[in-house]
Every structure is written in C-alpha cells, then in structure tokens.
Amino acid sequence: MTMMPENKEIRAIARGELKGNWTQPALCTLVYMLLIAGISVIPFVGWIASVLVVAPLSYGFTLTFLGFMRNENRTEMVGQPFKVFNNYGRYLGGSLLVCIFTLLWSLLLII
C-alpha cells in the first residue's frame, strides 16, 4: 500500500514547480479574485451572476492550475480559466447537478 505524502513534501513539490514561474500563477489568481469580488458587489443581481459565472470560472481556474502542475500551459495562464465558457452549458449544467444532488442528499440526512 502506498503512503500519502506529508504536507511538507507537497509544499516542497509545489515550491519546486513555482520556482521562477511565480508571475503567471499570481497574475491569474489576481484576475480571478478581482472578477469574483467585482461580481459579488453588484446589488440585486450579484448572486445570480455569481452562480452563472463563478461556478464555471472556478472549474476553469482549477483546470488551469492542474495544467500548470502537469507542465501543459505555463505561458498564457491568465486567459485559460475563460476557455470553459466555450462549453458553458456543459459546465453550468454539471455545477447545477452537483448543487441539486448535494441538496437532496442533505435532505435525506436530515430526514
């Protein structure tokens, strides 16, 4: 049976991958955070826009950093999270299904 790596080993791997490549991930994270903060500040429609935009965008953000760790895309990271909007319906439907199933299983837990 293989053992899980300890936290210090995971941190060492992450720091090794980021050595000399801090600018693109930091810039991508900054754009992501500013976009989410800007959407959530909008009164009355901010929560709707948050559901419709942030769910696919967070999936794209996760895929971007997964690709970064796999050495797939290290040059143009800032635009990568927005590529999920090419298949917007698929990602939005998937995130809505996750929400619905989580709600239903939570109701089952309460009952």
Side-chain angles (χ1 to χ4, degrees):
M1 176 162 53
T2 60
M3 302 221 7
M4 294 289 294
E6 293 183 16
N7 286 341
K8 64 181 179 180
E9 294 171 345
I10 296 172
R11 275 194 311 267
I13 292 170
R15 285 186 179 141
E17 289 292 325
L18 285 171
K19 188 172 186 176
N21 295 318
W22 284 91
T23 55
Q24 287 292 320
L27 189 60
C28 184
T29 304
L30 179 68
V31 168
Y32 176 73
M33 289 173 52
L34 288 175
L35 188 63
I36 290 176
I39 288 173
S40 64
V41 172
I42 301 171
F44 302 114
V45 294
W47 67 274
I48 295 171
S50 178
V51 169
L52 296 178
V53 174
V54 172
L57 191 61
S58 63
Y59 183 68
F61 186 72
T62 304
L63 288 179
T64 299
F65 276 89
L66 185 62
F68 180 81
M69 289 301 292
R70 292 178 177 171
N71 293 324
E72 292 174 1
N73 56 351
R74 292 200 170 203
T75 56
E76 297 181 12
M77 284 186 64
V78 178
Q80 291 292 329
F82 299 104
K83 288 188 177 181
V84 297
F85 290 104
N86 294 338
N87 293 325
Y88 180 73
R90 182 175 161 206
Y91 295 116
L92 182 65
S95 63
L96 289 176
L97 280 174
V98 167
C99 290
I100 289 170
F101 280 116
T102 303
L103 175 73
L104 291 175
W105 280 104
S106 299
L107 287 175
L108 184 64
L109 181 67
I110 293 171
I111 295 173

mmCIF file of all heavy atoms in Angstrom, residues 8-53:
data_model
loop_
_atom_site.group_PDB
_atom_site.id
_atom_site.type_symbol
_atom_site.label_atom_id
_atom_site.label_comp_id
_atom_site.label_asym_id
_atom_site.label_seq_id
_atom_site.Cartn_x
_atom_site.Cartn_y
_atom_site.Cartn_z
ATOM 1 N N LYS A 8 4.731 18.643 4.197
ATOM 2 C CA LYS A 8 5.991 19.310 3.849
ATOM 3 C C LYS A 8 6.508 18.830 2.493
ATOM 4 O O LYS A 8 7.127 19.594 1.758
ATOM 5 C CB LYS A 8 7.024 19.127 4.945
ATOM 6 C CG LYS A 8 7.459 17.710 5.191
ATOM 7 C CD LYS A 8 8.475 17.658 6.318
ATOM 8 C CE LYS A 8 8.891 16.222 6.572
ATOM 9 N NZ LYS A 8 9.856 16.135 7.650
ATOM 10 N N GLU A 9 6.252 17.579 2.152
ATOM 11 C CA GLU A 9 6.653 17.074 0.834
ATOM 12 C C GLU A 9 5.814 17.707 -0.272
ATOM 13 O O GLU A 9 6.344 18.054 -1.332
ATOM 14 C CB GLU A 9 6.505 15.556 0.796
ATOM 15 C CG GLU A 9 7.446 14.827 1.717
ATOM 16 C CD GLU A 9 7.139 13.347 1.831
ATOM 17 O OE1 GLU A 9 6.040 12.920 1.434
ATOM 18 O OE2 GLU A 9 8.014 12.626 2.329
ATOM 19 N N ILE A 10 4.528 17.863 -0.023
ATOM 20 C CA ILE A 10 3.646 18.507 -1.009
ATOM 21 C C ILE A 10 4.048 19.960 -1.212
ATOM 22 O O ILE A 10 4.099 20.457 -2.343
ATOM 23 C CB ILE A 10 2.178 18.380 -0.575
ATOM 24 C CG1 ILE A 10 1.758 16.909 -0.561
ATOM 25 C CG2 ILE A 10 1.268 19.190 -1.491
ATOM 26 C CD1 ILE A 10 0.391 16.670 0.035
ATOM 27 N N ARG A 11 4.346 20.665 -0.121
ATOM 28 C CA ARG A 11 4.794 22.054 -0.223
ATOM 29 C C ARG A 11 6.106 22.155 -0.991
ATOM 30 O O ARG A 11 6.311 23.074 -1.793
ATOM 31 C CB ARG A 11 4.945 22.669 1.169
ATOM 32 C CG ARG A 11 3.682 23.226 1.736
ATOM 33 C CD ARG A 11 3.949 24.120 2.938
ATOM 34 N NE ARG A 11 4.831 23.537 3.927
ATOM 35 C CZ ARG A 11 4.446 22.843 4.984
ATOM 36 N NH1 ARG A 11 3.167 22.623 5.194
ATOM 37 N NH2 ARG A 11 5.331 22.357 5.837
ATOM 38 N N ALA A 12 7.012 21.221 -0.755
ATOM 39 C CA ALA A 12 8.302 21.235 -1.462
ATOM 40 C C ALA A 12 8.107 21.025 -2.954
ATOM 41 O O ALA A 12 8.757 21.683 -3.777
ATOM 42 C CB ALA A 12 9.225 20.170 -0.876
ATOM 43 N N ILE A 13 7.205 20.127 -3.322
ATOM 44 C CA ILE A 13 6.908 19.897 -4.739
ATOM 45 C C ILE A 13 6.315 21.150 -5.369
ATOM 46 O O ILE A 13 6.704 21.565 -6.467
ATOM 47 C CB ILE A 13 5.965 18.688 -4.902
ATOM 48 C CG1 ILE A 13 6.678 17.394 -4.511
ATOM 49 C CG2 ILE A 13 5.445 18.595 -6.339
ATOM 50 C CD1 ILE A 13 5.764 16.195 -4.403
ATOM 51 N N ALA A 14 5.365 21.777 -4.665
ATOM 52 C CA ALA A 14 4.716 22.982 -5.185
ATOM 53 C C ALA A 14 5.717 24.121 -5.330
ATOM 54 O O ALA A 14 5.711 24.838 -6.337
ATOM 55 C CB ALA A 14 3.572 23.394 -4.269
ATOM 56 N N ARG A 15 6.572 24.302 -4.354
ATOM 57 C CA ARG A 15 7.577 25.368 -4.445
ATOM 58 C C ARG A 15 8.580 25.089 -5.566
ATOM 59 O O ARG A 15 9.048 26.018 -6.232
ATOM 60 C CB ARG A 15 8.292 25.520 -3.110
ATOM 61 C CG ARG A 15 7.435 26.205 -2.086
ATOM 62 C CD ARG A 15 8.181 26.481 -0.814
ATOM 63 N NE ARG A 15 7.299 27.158 0.124
ATOM 64 C CZ ARG A 15 7.267 26.924 1.410
ATOM 65 N NH1 ARG A 15 8.095 26.048 1.945
ATOM 66 N NH2 ARG A 15 6.426 27.581 2.186
ATOM 67 N N GLY A 16 8.892 23.824 -5.761
ATOM 68 C CA GLY A 16 9.790 23.471 -6.862
ATOM 69 C C GLY A 16 9.175 23.770 -8.227
ATOM 70 O O GLY A 16 9.854 24.235 -9.137
ATOM 71 N N GLU A 17 7.880 23.509 -8.359
ATOM 72 C CA GLU A 17 7.191 23.801 -9.625
ATOM 73 C C GLU A 17 7.071 25.305 -9.857
ATOM 74 O O GLU A 17 7.102 25.776 -10.990
ATOM 75 C CB GLU A 17 5.808 23.169 -9.636
ATOM 76 C CG GLU A 17 5.806 21.668 -9.745
ATOM 77 C CD GLU A 17 6.294 21.178 -11.093
ATOM 78 O OE1 GLU A 17 6.026 21.839 -12.111
ATOM 79 O OE2 GLU A 17 6.962 20.140 -11.120
ATOM 80 N N LEU A 18 6.896 26.074 -8.783
ATOM 81 C CA LEU A 18 6.714 27.511 -8.917
ATOM 82 C C LEU A 18 8.030 28.292 -8.997
ATOM 83 O O LEU A 18 8.003 29.484 -9.274
ATOM 84 C CB LEU A 18 5.893 28.050 -7.741
ATOM 85 C CG LEU A 18 4.406 27.745 -7.790
ATOM 86 C CD1 LEU A 18 3.746 28.141 -6.475
ATOM 87 C CD2 LEU A 18 3.751 28.458 -8.945
ATOM 88 N N LYS A 19 9.145 27.625 -8.759
ATOM 89 C CA LYS A 19 10.427 28.323 -8.755
ATOM 90 C C LYS A 19 10.690 28.960 -10.115
ATOM 91 O O LYS A 19 10.779 28.278 -11.130
ATOM 92 C CB LYS A 19 11.543 27.350 -8.404
ATOM 93 C CG LYS A 19 12.866 28.025 -8.189
ATOM 94 C CD LYS A 19 13.896 27.066 -7.667
ATOM 95 C CE LYS A 19 15.160 27.834 -7.337
ATOM 96 N NZ LYS A 19 16.149 26.962 -6.729
ATOM 97 N N GLY A 20 10.754 30.271 -10.126
ATOM 98 C CA GLY A 20 10.980 31.013 -11.359
ATOM 99 C C GLY A 20 9.733 31.222 -12.203
ATOM 100 O O GLY A 20 9.790 31.855 -13.248
ATOM 101 N N ASN A 21 8.589 30.692 -11.785
ATOM 102 C CA ASN A 21 7.345 30.806 -12.551
ATOM 103 C C ASN A 21 6.223 31.422 -11.722
ATOM 104 O O ASN A 21 5.076 31.039 -11.849
ATOM 105 C CB ASN A 21 6.884 29.412 -13.021
ATOM 106 C CG ASN A 21 7.842 28.792 -13.991
ATOM 107 O OD1 ASN A 21 8.349 29.461 -14.873
ATOM 108 N ND2 ASN A 21 8.104 27.519 -13.822
ATOM 109 N N TRP A 22 6.536 32.363 -10.870
ATOM 110 C CA TRP A 22 5.525 32.919 -9.971
ATOM 111 C C TRP A 22 4.603 33.914 -10.664
ATOM 112 O O TRP A 22 3.456 34.099 -10.224
ATOM 113 C CB TRP A 22 6.197 33.632 -8.798
ATOM 114 C CG TRP A 22 6.747 32.705 -7.783
ATOM 115 C CD1 TRP A 22 8.010 32.186 -7.756
ATOM 116 C CD2 TRP A 22 6.066 32.157 -6.670
ATOM 117 N NE1 TRP A 22 8.148 31.351 -6.687
ATOM 118 C CE2 TRP A 22 6.964 31.317 -5.988
ATOM 119 C CE3 TRP A 22 4.780 32.290 -6.165
ATOM 120 C CZ2 TRP A 22 6.628 30.629 -4.846
ATOM 121 C CZ3 TRP A 22 4.447 31.596 -5.021
ATOM 122 C CH2 TRP A 22 5.356 30.778 -4.377
ATOM 123 N N THR A 23 5.053 34.589 -11.687
ATOM 124 C CA THR A 23 4.276 35.708 -12.229
ATOM 125 C C THR A 23 2.957 35.274 -12.859
ATOM 126 O O THR A 23 1.920 35.868 -12.582
ATOM 127 C CB THR A 23 5.106 36.496 -13.255
ATOM 128 O OG1 THR A 23 5.573 35.600 -14.261
ATOM 129 C CG2 THR A 23 6.268 37.177 -12.597
ATOM 130 N N GLN A 24 2.964 34.256 -13.686
ATOM 131 C CA GLN A 24 1.729 33.827 -14.355
ATOM 132 C C GLN A 24 0.685 33.292 -13.374
ATOM 133 O O GLN A 24 -0.472 33.707 -13.433
ATOM 134 C CB GLN A 24 2.035 32.782 -15.430
ATOM 135 C CG GLN A 24 2.707 33.344 -16.658
ATOM 136 C CD GLN A 24 1.777 34.250 -17.437
ATOM 137 O OE1 GLN A 24 0.595 33.981 -17.581
ATOM 138 N NE2 GLN A 24 2.331 35.332 -17.942
ATOM 139 N N PRO A 25 1.032 32.391 -12.447
ATOM 140 C CA PRO A 25 0.014 31.937 -11.489
ATOM 141 C C PRO A 25 -0.499 33.056 -10.589
ATOM 142 O O PRO A 25 -1.694 33.119 -10.286
ATOM 143 C CB PRO A 25 0.733 30.863 -10.671
ATOM 144 C CG PRO A 25 1.843 30.401 -11.523
ATOM 145 C CD PRO A 25 2.250 31.584 -12.339
ATOM 146 N N ALA A 26 0.392 33.961 -10.168
ATOM 147 C CA ALA A 26 -0.035 35.058 -9.299
ATOM 148 C C ALA A 26 -0.964 36.003 -10.054
ATOM 149 O O ALA A 26 -1.987 36.454 -9.513
ATOM 150 C CB ALA A 26 1.178 35.811 -8.765
ATOM 151 N N LEU A 27 -0.645 36.312 -11.297
ATOM 152 C CA LEU A 27 -1.486 37.185 -12.103
ATOM 153 C C LEU A 27 -2.841 36.540 -12.390
ATOM 154 O O LEU A 27 -3.880 37.197 -12.326
ATOM 155 C CB LEU A 27 -0.772 37.536 -13.404
ATOM 156 C CG LEU A 27 -1.397 38.608 -14.276
ATOM 157 C CD1 LEU A 27 -1.483 39.920 -13.509
ATOM 158 C CD2 LEU A 27 -0.587 38.793 -15.535
ATOM 159 N N CYS A 28 -2.841 35.253 -12.667
ATOM 160 C CA CYS A 28 -4.085 34.524 -12.906
ATOM 161 C C CYS A 28 -4.969 34.530 -11.660
ATOM 162 O O CYS A 28 -6.184 34.743 -11.736
ATOM 163 C CB CYS A 28 -3.757 33.100 -13.325
ATOM 164 S SG CYS A 28 -5.183 32.114 -13.764
ATOM 165 N N THR A 29 -4.364 34.323 -10.499
ATOM 166 C CA THR A 29 -5.114 34.349 -9.244
ATOM 167 C C THR A 29 -5.662 35.739 -8.961
ATOM 168 O O THR A 29 -6.804 35.885 -8.503
ATOM 169 C CB THR A 29 -4.215 33.886 -8.087
ATOM 170 O OG1 THR A 29 -3.710 32.596 -8.391
ATOM 171 C CG2 THR A 29 -4.979 33.833 -6.787
ATOM 172 N N LEU A 30 -4.882 36.777 -9.238
ATOM 173 C CA LEU A 30 -5.335 38.142 -9.020
ATOM 174 C C LEU A 30 -6.537 38.481 -9.904
ATOM 175 O O LEU A 30 -7.525 39.047 -9.432
ATOM 176 C CB LEU A 30 -4.192 39.121 -9.288
ATOM 177 C CG LEU A 30 -4.525 40.591 -9.123
ATOM 178 C CD1 LEU A 30 -4.801 40.903 -7.655
ATOM 179 C CD2 LEU A 30 -3.408 41.461 -9.655
ATOM 180 N N VAL A 31 -6.473 38.115 -11.177
ATOM 181 C CA VAL A 31 -7.592 38.367 -12.094
ATOM 182 C C VAL A 31 -8.837 37.617 -11.633
ATOM 183 O O VAL A 31 -9.942 38.170 -11.609
ATOM 184 C CB VAL A 31 -7.207 37.983 -13.540
ATOM 185 C CG1 VAL A 31 -8.419 37.956 -14.452
ATOM 186 C CG2 VAL A 31 -6.162 38.933 -14.075
ATOM 187 N N TYR A 32 -8.665 36.378 -11.221
ATOM 188 C CA TYR A 32 -9.778 35.551 -10.738
ATOM 189 C C TYR A 32 -10.422 36.179 -9.502
ATOM 190 O O TYR A 32 -11.646 36.299 -9.420
ATOM 191 C CB TYR A 32 -9.252 34.150 -10.451
ATOM 192 C CG TYR A 32 -10.249 33.203 -9.853
ATOM 193 C CD1 TYR A 32 -11.276 32.668 -10.611
ATOM 194 C CD2 TYR A 32 -10.161 32.818 -8.522
ATOM 195 C CE1 TYR A 32 -12.184 31.786 -10.074
ATOM 196 C CE2 TYR A 32 -11.063 31.936 -7.974
ATOM 197 C CZ TYR A 32 -12.070 31.422 -8.755
ATOM 198 O OH TYR A 32 -12.966 30.552 -8.206
ATOM 199 N N MET A 33 -9.604 36.588 -8.544
ATOM 200 C CA MET A 33 -10.138 37.177 -7.310
ATOM 201 C C MET A 33 -10.830 38.501 -7.561
ATOM 202 O O MET A 33 -11.889 38.776 -6.987
ATOM 203 C CB MET A 33 -9.020 37.334 -6.287
ATOM 204 C CG MET A 33 -8.542 36.017 -5.722
ATOM 205 S SD MET A 33 -7.092 36.132 -4.658
ATOM 206 C CE MET A 33 -7.570 37.365 -3.498
ATOM 207 N N LEU A 34 -10.253 39.345 -8.417
ATOM 208 C CA LEU A 34 -10.878 40.631 -8.729
ATOM 209 C C LEU A 34 -12.199 40.449 -9.455
ATOM 210 O O LEU A 34 -13.166 41.179 -9.198
ATOM 211 C CB LEU A 34 -9.925 41.492 -9.558
ATOM 212 C CG LEU A 34 -8.726 42.060 -8.830
ATOM 213 C CD1 LEU A 34 -7.810 42.790 -9.806
ATOM 214 C CD2 LEU A 34 -9.151 42.971 -7.697
ATOM 215 N N LEU A 35 -12.263 39.484 -10.343
ATOM 216 C CA LEU A 35 -13.501 39.221 -11.072
ATOM 217 C C LEU A 35 -14.604 38.731 -10.139
ATOM 218 O O LEU A 35 -15.740 39.195 -10.205
ATOM 219 C CB LEU A 35 -13.246 38.209 -12.179
ATOM 220 C CG LEU A 35 -14.384 37.970 -13.146
ATOM 221 C CD1 LEU A 35 -14.700 39.244 -13.914
ATOM 222 C CD2 LEU A 35 -14.031 36.872 -14.110
ATOM 223 N N ILE A 36 -14.270 37.818 -9.260
ATOM 224 C CA ILE A 36 -15.259 37.301 -8.317
ATOM 225 C C ILE A 36 -15.703 38.388 -7.347
ATOM 226 O O ILE A 36 -16.897 38.522 -7.040
ATOM 227 C CB ILE A 36 -14.710 36.075 -7.574
ATOM 228 C CG1 ILE A 36 -14.619 34.913 -8.541
ATOM 229 C CG2 ILE A 36 -15.578 35.698 -6.385
ATOM 230 C CD1 ILE A 36 -14.012 33.680 -7.964
ATOM 231 N N ALA A 37 -14.768 39.200 -6.866
ATOM 232 C CA ALA A 37 -15.123 40.287 -5.961
ATOM 233 C C ALA A 37 -15.998 41.318 -6.670
ATOM 234 O O ALA A 37 -16.962 41.828 -6.088
ATOM 235 C CB ALA A 37 -13.862 40.952 -5.415
ATOM 236 N N GLY A 38 -15.690 41.611 -7.916
ATOM 237 C CA GLY A 38 -16.489 42.570 -8.676
ATOM 238 C C GLY A 38 -17.900 42.076 -8.937
ATOM 239 O O GLY A 38 -18.859 42.842 -8.879
ATOM 240 N N ILE A 39 -18.043 40.798 -9.197
ATOM 241 C CA ILE A 39 -19.372 40.235 -9.446
ATOM 242 C C ILE A 39 -20.202 40.214 -8.178
ATOM 243 O O ILE A 39 -21.385 40.531 -8.192
ATOM 244 C CB ILE A 39 -19.243 38.817 -10.042
ATOM 245 C CG1 ILE A 39 -18.743 38.904 -11.476
ATOM 246 C CG2 ILE A 39 -20.574 38.079 -9.999
ATOM 247 C CD1 ILE A 39 -18.428 37.568 -12.090
ATOM 248 N N SER A 40 -19.592 39.887 -7.055
ATOM 249 C CA SER A 40 -20.353 39.764 -5.811
ATOM 250 C C SER A 40 -20.785 41.110 -5.244
ATOM 251 O O SER A 40 -21.691 41.166 -4.408
ATOM 252 C CB SER A 40 -19.545 38.998 -4.769
ATOM 253 O OG SER A 40 -18.393 39.724 -4.425
ATOM 254 N N VAL A 41 -20.180 42.197 -5.697
ATOM 255 C CA VAL A 41 -20.526 43.525 -5.185
ATOM 256 C C VAL A 41 -21.784 44.089 -5.852
ATOM 257 O O VAL A 41 -22.467 44.936 -5.287
ATOM 258 C CB VAL A 41 -19.329 44.479 -5.381
ATOM 259 C CG1 VAL A 41 -19.679 45.908 -5.058
ATOM 260 C CG2 VAL A 41 -18.161 44.025 -4.529
ATOM 261 N N ILE A 42 -22.137 43.598 -7.024
ATOM 262 C CA ILE A 42 -23.285 44.118 -7.767
ATOM 263 C C ILE A 42 -24.560 43.852 -6.973
ATOM 264 O O ILE A 42 -24.859 42.716 -6.630
ATOM 265 C CB ILE A 42 -23.388 43.459 -9.152
ATOM 266 C CG1 ILE A 42 -22.117 43.706 -9.960
ATOM 267 C CG2 ILE A 42 -24.612 43.978 -9.905
ATOM 268 C CD1 ILE A 42 -22.055 42.905 -11.239
ATOM 269 N N PRO A 43 -25.329 44.904 -6.661
ATOM 270 C CA PRO A 43 -26.545 44.683 -5.863
ATOM 271 C C PRO A 43 -27.646 44.004 -6.686
ATOM 272 O O PRO A 43 -27.758 44.209 -7.895
ATOM 273 C CB PRO A 43 -26.961 46.085 -5.443
ATOM 274 C CG PRO A 43 -26.308 47.005 -6.407
ATOM 275 C CD PRO A 43 -25.094 46.303 -6.922
ATOM 276 N N PHE A 44 -28.449 43.198 -6.022
ATOM 277 C CA PHE A 44 -29.638 42.514 -6.540
ATOM 278 C C PHE A 44 -29.348 41.405 -7.546
ATOM 279 O O PHE A 44 -29.987 40.378 -7.517
ATOM 280 C CB PHE A 44 -30.649 43.494 -7.154
ATOM 281 C CG PHE A 44 -31.120 44.532 -6.192
ATOM 282 C CD1 PHE A 44 -30.802 45.858 -6.391
ATOM 283 C CD2 PHE A 44 -31.862 44.192 -5.081
ATOM 284 C CE1 PHE A 44 -31.228 46.823 -5.506
ATOM 285 C CE2 PHE A 44 -32.283 45.147 -4.189
ATOM 286 C CZ PHE A 44 -31.967 46.468 -4.397
ATOM 287 N N VAL A 45 -28.443 41.603 -8.457
ATOM 288 C CA VAL A 45 -28.161 40.557 -9.450
ATOM 289 C C VAL A 45 -26.811 39.897 -9.218
ATOM 290 O O VAL A 45 -26.443 39.002 -9.959
ATOM 291 C CB VAL A 45 -28.218 41.117 -10.894
ATOM 292 C CG1 VAL A 45 -29.604 41.553 -11.257
ATOM 293 C CG2 VAL A 45 -27.215 42.226 -11.081
ATOM 294 N N GLY A 46 -26.092 40.323 -8.199
ATOM 295 C CA GLY A 46 -24.774 39.777 -7.926
ATOM 296 C C GLY A 46 -24.803 38.302 -7.604
ATOM 297 O O GLY A 46 -23.950 37.546 -8.042
ATOM 298 N N TRP A 47 -25.809 37.856 -6.874
ATOM 299 C CA TRP A 47 -25.868 36.438 -6.507
ATOM 300 C C TRP A 47 -26.224 35.577 -7.709
ATOM 301 O O TRP A 47 -25.744 34.463 -7.839
ATOM 302 C CB TRP A 47 -26.821 36.213 -5.344
ATOM 303 C CG TRP A 47 -28.261 36.474 -5.651
ATOM 304 C CD1 TRP A 47 -28.901 37.669 -5.585
ATOM 305 C CD2 TRP A 47 -29.222 35.519 -6.066
ATOM 306 N NE1 TRP A 47 -30.213 37.519 -5.950
ATOM 307 C CE2 TRP A 47 -30.447 36.205 -6.247
ATOM 308 C CE3 TRP A 47 -29.179 34.154 -6.306
ATOM 309 C CZ2 TRP A 47 -31.594 35.556 -6.674
ATOM 310 C CZ3 TRP A 47 -30.331 33.521 -6.720
ATOM 311 C CH2 TRP A 47 -31.523 34.227 -6.891
ATOM 312 N N ILE A 48 -27.074 36.095 -8.596
ATOM 313 C CA ILE A 48 -27.413 35.341 -9.810
ATOM 314 C C ILE A 48 -26.190 35.265 -10.732
ATOM 315 O O ILE A 48 -25.858 34.205 -11.257
ATOM 316 C CB ILE A 48 -28.604 35.984 -10.544
ATOM 317 C CG1 ILE A 48 -29.861 35.905 -9.683
ATOM 318 C CG2 ILE A 48 -28.849 35.311 -11.887
ATOM 319 C CD1 ILE A 48 -31.023 36.689 -10.229
ATOM 320 N N ALA A 49 -25.533 36.399 -10.905
ATOM 321 C CA ALA A 49 -24.326 36.419 -11.736
ATOM 322 C C ALA A 49 -23.243 35.550 -11.115
ATOM 323 O O ALA A 49 -22.477 34.899 -11.836
ATOM 324 C CB ALA A 49 -23.833 37.848 -11.900
ATOM 325 N N SER A 50 -23.199 35.532 -9.803
ATOM 326 C CA SER A 50 -22.216 34.696 -9.128
ATOM 327 C C SER A 50 -22.438 33.223 -9.440
ATOM 328 O O SER A 50 -21.498 32.488 -9.718
ATOM 329 C CB SER A 50 -22.282 34.938 -7.624
ATOM 330 O OG SER A 50 -21.380 34.122 -6.955
ATOM 331 N N VAL A 51 -23.686 32.792 -9.420
ATOM 332 C CA VAL A 51 -23.995 31.388 -9.723
ATOM 333 C C VAL A 51 -23.697 31.080 -11.183
ATOM 334 O O VAL A 51 -23.140 30.038 -11.516
ATOM 335 C CB VAL A 51 -25.469 31.076 -9.390
ATOM 336 C CG1 VAL A 51 -25.887 29.731 -9.944
ATOM 337 C CG2 VAL A 51 -25.694 31.133 -7.898
ATOM 338 N N LEU A 52 -24.051 32.001 -12.078
ATOM 339 C CA LEU A 52 -23.904 31.743 -13.511
ATOM 340 C C LEU A 52 -22.475 31.885 -14.023
ATOM 341 O O LEU A 52 -22.118 31.274 -15.031
ATOM 342 C CB LEU A 52 -24.824 32.677 -14.301
ATOM 343 C CG LEU A 52 -26.319 32.487 -14.068
ATOM 344 C CD1 LEU A 52 -27.100 33.512 -14.864
ATOM 345 C CD2 LEU A 52 -26.744 31.083 -14.434
ATOM 346 N N VAL A 53 -21.660 32.682 -13.346
ATOM 347 C CA VAL A 53 -20.309 32.940 -13.851
ATOM 348 C C VAL A 53 -19.235 32.264 -13.001
ATOM 349 O O VAL A 53 -18.301 31.674 -13.537
ATOM 350 C CB VAL A 53 -20.046 34.465 -13.926
ATOM 351 C CG1 VAL A 53 -18.611 34.754 -14.294
ATOM 352 C CG2 VAL A 53 -20.988 35.111 -14.921
#
